[in-house]
Amino acid sequence: MTSTEESEGVRHGWVDDVPVAWIEPPAGAGGATVALWLPHLGGSTQACLPAMRELAELGMIAVSLDPWRHGRRGGESAAQLTERVLGDFRQEMWPLLGRTTVECVRVLDWAAAELGAGPGAVAGGVSMGGDCAVALAGLDHRVRRVAAVAATADWTRPGMCALDDPARLLPQGHAGRHAQWWFDRLNPLTNIGAYAHGPAIAFECGADDSHVPPQGALRFRETIEHVYPRHAGRIRVTVHPGTGHLDAARDPELTRRCLAWLAQPGGQP
């Protein structure tokens, strides 16, 4: 951890080569639960601050990070990054999802060692950030609750269309060995065994979302409940009529629903 700086209650620093931001709850960090909130494609810790402030007010240590090629690690604009990733989705997005998920594990280790966080954690995010949060719950069993807006448990995103044209199907390209390695190990829908411990996961999806179709979350819930009937009810998928991808991602009410879900006691679905 390098030196930190603080501005208006938000502290910034680095965990190895990962830029992080965090806000401690009013009562202090000692023993509090870490709540990771992760940004959308092209986003950063700055975009996560409103949700982080609410999580801190709910009594948690709110933490975010700049994913690889984002924020303080970025060398191009958000628009350029989004265009490049969506132009070769599997080759570009799968390593981004996988690397961010693994870096979250390191950040949780840091929070426990340096901030005095409690043993459990929760995680959430919007779009890409939500995808990573769901994958994280399978990789790191400290994460007992997840909430995701306009996100999926299926990294292949069947039927994915362009953000600016819901009628234009996006070609996903082909994954090289490096990209495929991340997918094979962390894609939630094809690693159902990683969720045998039964984390509580809430998806807030748009019924008209053609960019991250809600069917990925629905298939994940159905598969979990088929393979692990004892976990029925621990995956909540709410599909909002008349709501597209950007509508859901920008809707403060959907984010508030996610934050309330994360603040529930760990044993309650």
Side-chain angles (χ1 to χ4, degrees):
M1 180 73 187
T2 62
S3 60
T4 64
E5 57 184 49
E6 183 172 355
S7 175
E8 298 181 348
V10 183
R11 301 184 69 182
H12 297 272
W14 294 75
V15 178
D16 300 332
D17 61 343
V18 180
V20 295
W22 71 100
I23 305 173
E24 297 186 4
T33 297
V34 171
L36 282 174
W37 191 259
L38 305 172
H40 56 80
L41 177 64
S44 66
T45 57
Q46 189 67 27
C48 295
L49 288 179
M52 291 170 63
R53 293 188 190 280
E54 291 193 42
L55 288 166
E57 287 296 322
L58 290 168
M60 292 177 276
I61 306 170
V63 180
S64 187
L65 59 88
D66 285 334
W68 180 45
R69 296 177 173 172
H70 288 66
R72 285 174 282 174
R73 308 163 87 180
E76 56 193 328
S77 70
Q80 290 170 328
L81 174 64
T82 299
E83 181 179 6
R84 178 167 56 78
V85 171
L86 296 184
D88 195 1
F89 184 79
R90 297 188 177 191
Q91 181 70 4
E92 295 285 342
M93 181 62 108
W94 288 358
L96 179 52
L97 291 169
R99 182 165 174 169
T100 302
T101 301
V102 170
E103 288 178 344
C104 286
V105 177
R106 174 66 184 100
V107 170
L108 289 178
D109 289 344
W110 160 79
E114 300 296 331
L115 302 183
V122 300
V126 176
S127 194
M128 182 191 82
D131 295 353
C132 294
V134 175
L136 179 63
L139 178 63
D140 190 330
H141 292 186
R142 289 175 293 185
V143 178
R144 62 178 186 261
R145 297 186 74 80
V146 168
V149 180
T152 187
D154 183 358
W155 291 6
T156 66
R157 293 190 191 176
M160 179 177 65
C161 293
L163 275 168
D164 58 355
D165 184 356
R168 180 166 63 89
L169 196 66
L170 283 178
Q172 295 198 19
H174 300 281
R177 290 188 179 183
H178 175 251
Q180 190 68 46
W181 188 92
W182 291 108
F183 177 89
D184 290 344
R185 285 154 181 80
L186 294 174
N187 177 53
L189 190 58
T190 50
N191 286 281
I192 291 297
Y195 299 86
H197 60 298
I201 303 176
F203 293 89
E204 300 290 338
C205 303
D208 296 343
D209 188 342
S210 60
H211 184 64
V212 184
Q215 285 74 23
L218 292 166
R219 284 195 303 273
F220 180 71
R221 182 183 66 186
E222 292 166 3
T223 306
I224 288 286
E225 293 186 348
H226 174 73
V227 176
Y228 303 111
R230 67 187 182 277
H231 295 328
R234 294 196 66 79
I235 310 295
R236 184 186 81 182
V237 181
T238 306
V239 180
H240 299 270
T243 302
H245 184 74
L246 294 178
D247 301 323
R250 295 168 178 170
D251 189 336
E253 179 56 32
L254 299 194
T255 296
R256 280 192 290 268
R257 285 172 57 89
C258 284
L259 303 182
W261 172 267
L262 294 180
Q264 291 181 37
Q268 300 296 320

